[in-house]
Amino acid sequence: MASKSFSEEDLSCPVCYEIFKDPLVLSCSHSVCKVCLQKFWESKESRECPVCRRRSSKQEPPLNLVLKNLCESFSVEKIQRSSAGSEVLCSQHGEKLKLFCLEDQQLVCLVCRDSAKHRNHRFQPVDEAAVEFKENLKMKLKPLQETLKIFKDVKLTWNQTAEKIQIQTQHTERRIKEEFQKLHQFLHDEEAARIAALREEEEQKSQMMTEKMEKMSREISSLSDTVRAIEEEMGAEDVSFLQNYRTTITRTQCRLEHPERLSGALIHVKKHLRNLKFTVWEKMQEIIHTPVTLNPITAHPRLVLSEDLTSVRYSDERQKLPDNPERFGLYAAVLGSEGFNSGTHCWDVDVGGNTGWLLGVMIESAERKGSVYSRSGIWYMDYYDGKYRAGSTPNPATLLSFNRKLQKIRVTLDWDGGKLSFSDAVNNTHLHTHTHTFTERVFPYFNTGCKLSPLRILPVKVHVSVEQQS
């Protein structure tokens, strides 16, 4: 047998120190693995022996077939010896470990069982003990597996959130650019309109000055002729002068009106530049008009928000959105972007043909998962099944009666005064008022289950007043 004649060291390559693989024999009689020799020669750029450094006379040394067979036999014997030794024996008695001591929680042989060390102990056959303890370990493993699943689910959610962040960033950046483009366009149009007004005034007044100067030139020419004629008469002979005197004296009577002083002829600079920034800003209010916008990270996955975040509609298709803590999980609701903890605030909502809606406010700390209406924190007015109601969670709602179908609802929050009022925005008729002492920030609350008609937050007119400081 190869193992009886050779050790592992005898059959190891001098380069990689592993059992030879395809050993090649050099002219100096040393053997080296084929791959090791090729790498050695490439690194040295010369065909020398890795052991004795003697140059090989052959570019392709022959295979050492005898050594290869010995190495293969040695490897097979090594595997067989390893397999034969896999059966664990008692280190004290050299017997097979066939029993498991339940008290000491260790494997024992038959001799160990009868020894004083294990007297009065309980034993089980190895196979039975393995089944029982695997089952026990399986029960212990279950909570860890459940925890692992939770961690994986959370990691998946975080991955989705990370992807959503990138999408939100791209979308928001695009919207910012679009909004600023609108502002740039507004300012560009406003600049062009004001310059056009300036040019128009310039043209009008330049035309007026041209006409006046042309008239003045004609009058100067006429006067010049008269003066020249009179001067010629004055230079004539006395007899001739006196003969024409009566006619000449009448020519000295100038019937032309004296040139008037021009009033308002110059450009009205003050009109074009007066409070320019303020008046442009005031006019800009026409395109900056929504008092409340919606917060997309709070929107239920079935709600679709408009690009400008001022309207919301229900969809049968559930969007793939991260289940972040701020998002509503059960009810189709969304909050406003800004919360209020002081002052008076008002926003109008066009409910139009929406067959189901709920408007109001919700405290910041209110639960957003599960049944939000079973816990306190929402004050509202709603419309479902053709009926109007008003209430505050978790109390039952009060039925409201109106002789008309409401189209636009005005929500007015007086945080400091503790009032939340609803009115008809069309004719400013009061509908209902909640009274409550608010102690924390509240957010505008919107809920809809109608996919035919969205809820739209309406624009409002901004009134600007100027106070003159002394």
Side-chain angles (χ1 to χ4, degrees), residues 14-15 26 28 30-32 40 48-54:
V15 176
L26 302 175
C28 61
H30 289 117
S31 295
V32 184
F40 184 80
E48 61 180 40
C49 174
V51 181
C52 66
R53 298 294 191 263
R54 182 178 174 181

Side-chain angles (χ1 to χ4, degrees), residues 2-3 5-12 19 74:
S3 60
S5 304
F6 300 95
S7 65
E8 186 170 346
E9 184 179 354
D10 295 328
L11 301 177
S12 297
I19 300 297
F74 182 84

Side-chain angles (χ1 to χ4, degrees), residues 18 55 109 157-158 309 370 404 446 464:
E18 300 288 342
R55 185 173 178 80
C109 67
T157 301
W158 288 359
L309 304 178
R404 62 194 181 281
F446 306 83
V464 182

Side-chain angles (χ1 to χ4, degrees), residues 165-180:
I165 289 172
Q166 299 300 318
I167 296 173
Q168 283 182 311
T169 301
Q170 295 171 3
H171 172 77
T172 306
E173 180 179 345
R174 178 175 60 81
R175 290 289 299 141
I176 289 173
K177 290 181 177 179
E178 289 175 357
E179 292 300 318
F180 271 94

Side-chain angles (χ1 to χ4, degrees), residues 252-287:
T252 61
Q253 299 174 2
C254 180
R255 296 181 178 82
L256 296 177
E257 296 181 358
H258 282 275
E260 61 183 9
R261 289 188 177 185
L262 295 178
S263 177
L266 297 178
I267 295 296
H268 196 344
V269 176
K270 185 177 180 181
K271 179 185 72 174
H272 296 287
L273 295 181
R274 180 179 55 199
N275 294 329
L276 180 60
K277 293 179 182 178
F278 177 80
T279 53
V280 171
W281 174 82
E282 185 178 19
K283 191 173 181 181
M284 192 180 291
Q285 306 308 311
E286 297 175 7
I287 61 172

